[in-house]
Structure formats: structure tokens, C-alpha cells
Amino acid sequence: GSSARRAVALDPFDPLAHYALSCGTRIFGDVETGIAALEDAIELSPNFSSALADLSYIQAYLGNTGDAKANINQALALNPRNPSPARMYTTQIIIGIIDGDLEHAASWADKGCKLETKTIILIVSALTAYHLAGLTDRAKEAARIARTMLPGGSLAKLRQANFKMEDTFLRAVIDAHHAYNLQ
């Protein structure tokens, strides 16, 4: 955080410095500063797809799916092979779950589960999408992967996240965990 703040102070017109500030502040739970820094990075560089993708992820996680959709679509249009596909797919899954578009959520879950490198939030989101969509076999496989990734359980880890999950999404995640005997 302090190095990123110094970078912004030294060059307030460097979008990468603002992006670094966002990453650093979000790690320590300061979501408001993180969002503002991402918005500054995008204002300085409107084609900064990674900043757009990160902003859309946060917006989706917090339940602002309208802005999240606009930003994720812009990020995908600018860079379909974003360096963080797991985050982009997770964003799409969360948007689908919150908006009740389970076909959208499950479709992106399918793409995410095919990635070589998966994150726990991707797998948990996929599990939740599959559970809500009634895709039991896929949900069982996602639950198996979640158990492998975090043998002690992922629900407690998600609840310790640095910012609050939107209520609809959180309730759906909890329900999916319980349905597949995950902690």
C-alpha cells in the first residue's frame, strides 16, 4: 500500500500506479479506496482492460450488476484473453446468480471449470450456479474440487473476505455449501 501511494504521489497520471494502489488497498479491506483508484486508472487510460475487469468483479461482488456488466463487457471487448480469466469468468457467474440468469451463470461456470488455473471463488461461484440451476453432476464435481482446494472448507474463508458479498449471492453460496456438505 505505501509503495503504491508513493507511486501515485510521484506520478498521479500513471494508471498503473493507481491500479497498484487499488490492489494494495483492497488486500487490506479498504474497498472504497480500491474502487476510487480503479476509477482513476480507467479515467487516465480508458482502455485499461485489467482495471475494468477488476472494477467489474468488485461491483458484481457488491451487487452492482448493471455497472459490472458494462465494465466486464468493455474489458472483454478490449482484451478477450485477459490475463486473469478466472476473475472475469467469476464476475460473469456472480452477475448471473444475482440477476437470476442461471443459464448465463452456468455457461460461464462451464468455461471457468475448464481453466487450468482456478481460484476458490471461481469454484464456489460455479458450484453455486450449478446448484441453483439444478445441474447436480456438475455441482458435485465443483464441490469435489472445492474440497481439494480447501480441505478445511471455503465458507469461512469467503466470510473473511476483504469486502462484503451481496446478500443474494452470499445466501446462494451458503445454500450450495450446505447442499453439498461443505464447510
Side-chain angles (χ1 to χ4, degrees):
S2 62
S3 295
R5 287 184 198 284
R6 178 139 168 77
V8 169
L10 290 171
D11 188 354
F13 299 105
D14 182 355
L16 287 172
H18 290 276
Y19 184 76
L21 177 60
S22 173
C23 294
T25 56
R26 285 182 286 140
I27 287 171
F28 296 106
D30 185 354
V31 181
E32 292 78 21
T33 300
I35 290 170
L38 285 172
E39 290 171 342
D40 289 343
I42 294 163
E43 184 176 330
L44 291 166
S45 181
N47 294 331
F48 194 169
S49 65
S50 292
L52 285 160
D54 279 13
L55 181 58
S56 67
Y57 174 77
I58 296 167
Q59 290 167 327
Y61 211 79
L62 296 174
N64 183 356
T65 58
D67 288 339
K69 284 180 197 174
N71 287 322
I72 197 70
N73 289 337
Q74 178 73 10
L76 283 166
L78 290 167
N79 186 1
R81 296 184 179 265
N82 186 282
S84 182
R87 175 157 292 186
M88 298 204 34
Y89 294 173
T90 302
T91 301
Q92 292 283 12
I93 298 166
I94 294 170
I95 289 169
I97 290 169
I98 292 172
D99 287 352
D101 187 347
L102 301 181
E103 187 176 321
H104 177 90
S107 171
W108 283 97
D110 287 345
K111 293 174 188 177
C113 287
K114 290 177 186 168
L115 289 172
E116 189 172 321
T117 302
K118 300 168 190 68
T119 62
I120 191 62
I121 189 63
L122 169 68
I123 293 302
V124 165
S125 298
L127 165 65
T128 305
Y130 292 147
H131 173 65
L132 291 171
L135 300 168
T136 307
D137 289 343
R138 292 183 218 175
K140 285 179 183 175
E141 177 59 14
R144 184 194 66 75
I145 294 168
R147 278 187 201 91
T148 302
M149 292 176 83
L150 281 176
S154 58
L155 197 51
K157 299 277 187 207
L158 292 173
R159 287 183 170 177
Q160 294 168 359
N162 292 325
F163 47 94
K164 185 181 180 304
M165 282 186 236
E166 191 274 342
D167 288 338
T168 302
F169 181 63
L170 177 59
R171 281 192 308 272
V173 167
I174 292 169
D175 288 347
H177 273 70
H178 291 162
Y180 291 89
N181 298 316
L182 293 172
Q183 298 178 16

